[in-house]
Amino acid sequence: MNRNDDLHEKFVEYGCNAKKWMRKCVLLLPEIERRRIWKKKGFGSIYEYAAKLAGMSRYTVNEALRVLKKVEDKPDLQKVIEEKGINCVKPVVTIATPETQEFWADKARTMSKSEAETYTREWRKQDGLPGKPEKVKIEIELNPEIAQQLEKLKGSGDWNNLMKEFLEMREKQLEQEKPEKVETQSRHIPAKIEKYVIKRSRETCEYPGCRKPYEILHHTRRFALYKEHDPDKIFALCKGHERLFHQGLVEDEHKAPGFWRIREVPDKKDPKFKIDLKVMRFRSGFT
Ligand SMILES: [Zn+2]
């Protein structure tokens, strides 16, 4: 081992310990606040106490007290805080209940913060859909000429019919432009197919309701299993949603996006689960 490595190893070890001890400090805060220990020890506030004794910022103290209050009755989440810190449980803290805390603790433990955020967001959407509303109102900004032409086209008819007509036309056109699927040993998506998928997505994540720019093209039929690039089975996704797929947390992935649903746990019997594990392991080496 050369001297650089030695120095680096030391830093990693000390840093790791520093974080561990900071997590321990954080967990003591609610009790210190409850018993007003800071006052008894001559400090002006808990912030002064935490800053002078542990180098904690005001923000850290506030966040710790807020989050720890919410997990008072959730020992599994408390354990995750002890292991991984407060930040990891933030995405799940408002959705977990004493009955479901075990499930959410597992998610907070195994997912990164942004993965957990995406997952809880989808969960909420799914949960909060007791039936879709019949009609929704949207506001769009148009040039006056275009607005006028559209009004004319609609005439005395319904906006829904006109818009549906446009959508069907777009779909038909995309269908005509769609390249054939390619069977190959090469993982590289052929340029034609890539271009088509990006055009279809309009460079936006194709997960229903998501408006983030797309970052990754995802095979809903894993390439490793099928050795094909099928434009109907490749979707443009944002990173957050792509991660959910690779964690096996999207049900009916092989169907069209409208059918995708969030799962509680991955289906470990699905052959793609093994592939996804490999992908996740491979990636965790880099991120
Ligand atoms: Zn997305």
Side-chain angles (χ1 to χ4, degrees):
M1 196 186 279
N2 68 32
R3 273 166 56 200
N4 287 346
D5 284 344
D6 199 28
L7 194 58
H8 171 70
E9 292 295 323
K10 254 190 196 161
F11 194 86
V12 170
E13 188 197 338
Y14 295 173
C16 206
N17 281 325
K19 282 196 219 158
K20 192 167 125 196
W21 286 102
M22 186 56 95
R23 288 199 294 272
K24 284 181 186 285
C25 273
V26 160
L27 285 168
L28 299 179
L29 283 174
E31 194 57 16
I32 285 170
E33 171 66 355
R34 200 182 64 78
R35 292 201 231 160
R36 307 224 131 207
I37 288 174
W38 50 270
K39 201 166 185 189
K40 289 175 189 148
K41 297 292 173 190
F43 290 89
S45 67
I46 189 160
Y47 303 115
E48 191 193 339
Y49 180 90
K52 285 197 175 150
L53 298 180
M56 251 183 234
S57 70
R58 200 185 176 87
Y59 174 78
T60 308
V61 175
N62 280 337
E63 279 299 278
L65 290 175
R66 179 182 74 85
V67 174
L68 287 166
K69 175 113 195 81
K70 290 199 173 121
V71 301
E72 263 173 358
D73 51 353
K74 294 157 197 143
D76 289 334
L77 284 176
Q78 284 171 14
K79 238 187 242 160
V80 180
I81 294 178
E82 221 175 307
E83 292 161 20
K84 290 184 72 186
I86 272 257
N87 275 331
C88 295
V89 303
K90 276 189 194 169
V92 307
V93 84
T94 49
I95 200 166
T97 63
E99 293 74 39
T100 60
Q101 54 132 358
E102 203 187 330
F103 170 74
W104 289 109
D106 180 55
K107 295 287 175 261
R109 190 175 280 122
T110 53
M111 289 176 164
S112 73
K113 193 177 172 213
S114 74
E115 284 160 15
E117 277 165 0
T118 312
Y119 185 73
T120 41
R121 205 180 311 126
E122 288 311 328
W123 192 274
R124 281 208 177 89
K125 265 196 247 158
Q126 215 160 275
D127 248 17
L129 275 185
K132 284 185 186 161
E134 294 234 321
K135 295 242 162 93
V136 285
K137 246 188 188 157
I138 56 164
E139 217 172 281
I140 42 176
E141 249 173 60
L142 295 171
N143 294 336
E145 313 82 62
I146 293 184
Q148 219 174 36
Q149 283 177 36
L150 280 173
E151 290 275 7
K152 184 96 187 75
L153 273 175
K154 179 183 92 75
S156 57
D158 186 333
W159 277 114
N160 280 297
N161 294 338
L162 180 65
M163 291 304 165
K164 219 169 132 202
E165 204 179 300
F166 284 150
L167 288 173
E168 279 166 4
M169 267 156 59
R170 179 170 194 267
E171 223 158 83
K172 232 184 238 166
Q173 196 183 343
L174 279 169
E175 200 59 36
Q176 278 169 7
E177 292 171 16
K178 188 162 74 186
E180 291 284 321
K181 85 169 171 197
V182 173
E183 285 175 17
T184 167
Q185 292 299 314
S186 162
R187 301 192 148 265
H188 187 77
I189 301 175
K192 252 193 206 166
I193 296 180
E194 182 178 342
K195 211 174 136 196
Y196 166 81
V197 175
I198 293 172
K199 184 178 175 184
R200 182 189 67 207
S201 73
R202 300 187 72 95
E203 298 182 36
T204 306
C205 174
E206 292 184 276
Y207 201 98
C210 187
R211 292 187 189 172
K212 287 193 184 157
Y214 101 92
E215 285 169 279
I216 301 168
L217 297 183
H218 171 71
H219 289 76
T220 53
R221 275 157 67 96
R222 301 289 179 275
F223 179 79
L225 292 175
Y226 297 95
K227 306 282 184 212
E228 62 172 31
H229 300 290
D230 179 346
D232 284 331
K233 305 284 180 213
I234 298 176
F235 291 89
L237 296 174
C238 70
K239 211 166 161 192
H241 281 117
E242 195 255 1
R243 286 284 168 117
L244 290 191
F245 280 99
H246 279 296
Q247 297 201 333
L249 292 171
V250 181
E251 177 105 61
D252 287 332
E253 176 178 355
H254 57 283
K255 293 188 185 167
F259 293 94
W260 295 342
R261 306 277 296 164
I262 286 297
R263 293 176 62 93
E264 288 191 24
V265 283
D267 176 4
K268 293 187 177 162
K269 278 186 239 129
D270 192 320
K272 75 182 170 215
F273 184 70
K274 264 194 195 156
I275 310 275
D276 289 337
L277 270 186
K278 267 193 208 159
V279 172
M280 296 311 281
R281 244 181 247 146
F282 177 73
R283 284 195 191 154
S284 63
F286 294 94
T287 50

